[in-house]
Every structure is written in C-alpha cells, then in structure tokens.
Amino acid sequence: MRRIKLPAHIALIMDGNGRWAKRRFRPRSYGHRMGVQNMVRICSHAFRLGVRIVTVYALSTENLFRPKEELDTLFDLIRTYFSKKKDKLLEMGVKINVIGDLSVFPADIRENILRVMDETRSLTDGLFNICLDYGSRQEIVRAVNAAVAQGRFVDEASFSALLQTGGLPDPDLIIRTGGEVRLSNFLLYQAAYSELYFSNKMWPEFSKRDLEKAIENYSARDRRFGNVEEED
Ligand code: FPP
C-alpha cells in the first residue's frame, strides 16, 4: 500500500454470507462458517496494517428473529469461536471485547465469552470488539433510561459514556459488504462523523486487498467534521 492515512477504528458490517453460499448451491450455514473464517483473516490483516480498533457486527438484536435452525448455526459458530484456545487474533496480542446483551446466550457460551474477555484484558496491541445481540436504538434507549434513573442531564461526552461502547473512540471508517447501503441499527450515535464505505462483495469473498482499497479510499477523503477546510 502507498503512504496513507490509516483509520484508527474500523467497524465492519459483514453482510452477504447467505447469498454467497446460495450462489454456490450451499446452505446458509456454510456461508456463515466461511464468514467467521474471513472475519479472523480480515480483522487480523487490519491490525497488521496498524489499525488500533476493529469492531464487527456479528449478531444484531434483529438477527435473533431468524429461523431457529439458522440461529443454532450462528450460536454454534459463536460457541466454537470463544471456546478455541488459539486464534490468530489472540496470538497477535489483541484484546477481545464483546458489546451487546449476553443474556440471550446459553450459560456455556456466556462463560466462554467472559473468560476470553478476562484472559485478553491486559493485551494492548489492538482492541477487537465483537457486537453480539447488539442493536443501536436499544443501546440509546437504555442509555437514556440510565441517565433518567440517575436523575441527571447529560452532555455528548457523558451520554457517550453511558453507551455500550462507552470509552471507545467513534469509528473512523464503517465498511459494509453485501451490496446494501444502510447502517441497519449499527452504531447510529457513534457513526455521526464516520466515513462510510460500501462494497458489493459478499462478506466471505471480501479480501485483504478489498480492505486495503477501502482504507485507501478513506485516506483520500477530506474529513471536515462539519467545519471548513483550512486555507494554505
Ligand atoms: C449477515 O449475512 C451476517 C450475519 C447475520 C452474521 C455474520 C456473523 C459472522 C460472520 C461472525 C460470527 C461471529 C463470531 C464471533 C463467531 P446474511 O446471512 O444476512 O447474508 P445475506 O444478506 O446474504 O442473507
């Protein structure tokens, strides 16, 4: 890659697993399995390039309404991912953090998630956020209720701190694969000034080079945060 401005925080909407599998006459479960493999490949590449934080939308609150058979597959993939002892991302010294409501998961998955979070707590080479049973509107409503319960007014900073991403810098770049052009209830508050990048590739086929192209595209953008460009 030529000299570029790296986003410190990339968020990924990994869409298109089902369609990718269907086009290959395979079940959706195969698409999700390949999707997890690609998640590890692409996220470790992002850290290797120097990105500090990667946040993935692995399971939305709305995804929980999918047919039981598909949910079983997704839960199994999550179970396997968090029970594995070794992972490229763990080997890279990345801290793993889960954002979302864990109560939907069976106890064994919950325990493994908490164990991985605990074991990687002190790692500092990067932060990998996995959003599970996450919904941004629900997150915002919960934060409002928390402020009301505490009987206090909030400002932008204190409100951000009440979100499930509290303490994290906002994503600089949000990438969505799968050809859809929307945020689908992902990081709505945090995305206020994020650069958005949409790829027509399905998630399992989104390559390391595609990630680099997205970063190059980001790098060429002029981020003004509502301000005007400074004159030379
Ligand atoms: C969207 O594809 C993807 C999902 C609903 C889940 C994807 C999740 C992973 C790849 C990672 C799971 C995470 C861990 C930690 C194991 P889709 O099924 O909506 O695709 P479609 O739009 O083609 O139907």
Side-chain angles (χ1 to χ4, degrees):
M1 268 166 94
R2 58 192 158 81
R3 239 165 72 94
I4 50 142
K5 185 176 64 197
L6 264 187
H9 181 179
I10 292 183
L12 291 166
I13 304 177
M14 308 176 289
D15 194 17
N17 293 342
R19 279 167 289 160
W20 179 84
K22 200 171 165 207
R23 285 175 194 172
R24 283 157 184 77
F25 306 102
R26 305 289 297 262
R28 294 178 61 81
S29 55
Y30 177 68
H32 290 315
R33 196 148 39 86
M34 293 300 117
V36 176
Q37 280 187 19
N38 207 37
M39 177 186 80
V40 174
R41 187 183 304 127
I42 296 303
C43 296
S44 39
H45 190 56
F47 288 118
R48 218 171 288 123
L49 292 173
V51 174
R52 300 294 305 157
I53 306 174
V54 180
T55 301
V56 293
Y57 203 10
L59 189 73
S60 72
T61 302
E62 290 74 22
N63 288 155
L64 293 169
F65 294 104
R66 290 194 176 193
K68 183 178 179 311
E69 196 190 326
E70 179 158 351
L71 274 186
D72 285 347
T73 300
L74 288 168
F75 276 33
D76 270 347
L77 287 169
I78 293 166
R79 174 178 285 109
T80 308
Y81 182 78
F82 284 97
S83 57
K84 262 194 313 202
K85 294 283 171 267
K86 279 256 176 260
D87 174 282
K88 233 193 230 166
L89 290 163
L90 294 179
E91 284 165 10
M92 288 177 87
V94 164
K95 173 174 163 175
I96 296 187
N97 180 42
V98 170
I99 295 172
D101 186 358
L102 294 190
S103 63
V104 70
F105 295 107
D108 70 307
I109 297 187
R110 269 204 317 269
E111 279 157 23
N112 272 320
I113 289 176
L114 295 174
R115 180 185 53 77
V116 169
M117 281 170 61
D118 192 51
E119 282 174 9
T120 62
R121 198 165 25 156
S122 53
L123 300 181
T124 53
D125 289 350
L127 173 62
F128 183 40
N129 294 307
I130 304 176
C131 298
L132 291 174
D133 186 7
Y134 171 83
S136 186
R137 282 188 172 178
Q138 295 85 335
E139 173 191 40
I140 290 169
V141 168
R142 215 175 287 140
V144 169
N145 284 331
V148 171
Q150 291 163 14
R152 62 177 169 118
F153 289 104
V154 287
D155 57 18
E156 286 182 21
S158 58
F159 186 70
S160 292
L162 291 174
L163 296 172
Q164 288 169 304
T165 50
L168 283 184
D170 291 339
D172 300 295
L173 171 63
I174 299 180
I175 300 173
R176 179 175 188 144
T177 60
E180 314 286 0
V181 187
R182 54 177 171 258
L183 286 177
S184 298
N185 206 16
F186 187 47
L187 302 176
L188 301 180
Y189 187 87
Q190 300 86 336
Y193 281 103
S194 302
E195 296 296 326
L196 308 181
Y197 182 90
F198 298 97
S199 165
N200 285 326
K201 291 260 184 99
M202 299 297 123
W203 174 250
E205 65 192 2
F206 187 79
S207 66
K208 291 180 190 174
R209 182 64 201 125
D210 290 326
L211 174 71
E212 291 171 5
K213 277 193 217 160
I215 293 176
E216 283 166 9
N217 180 287
Y218 163 88
S219 172
R221 295 190 195 181
D222 177 23
R223 299 185 82 194
R224 293 188 300 279
F225 299 93
N227 208 328
V228 287
E229 214 171 339
E230 271 179 35
E231 284 182 40
D232 292 330

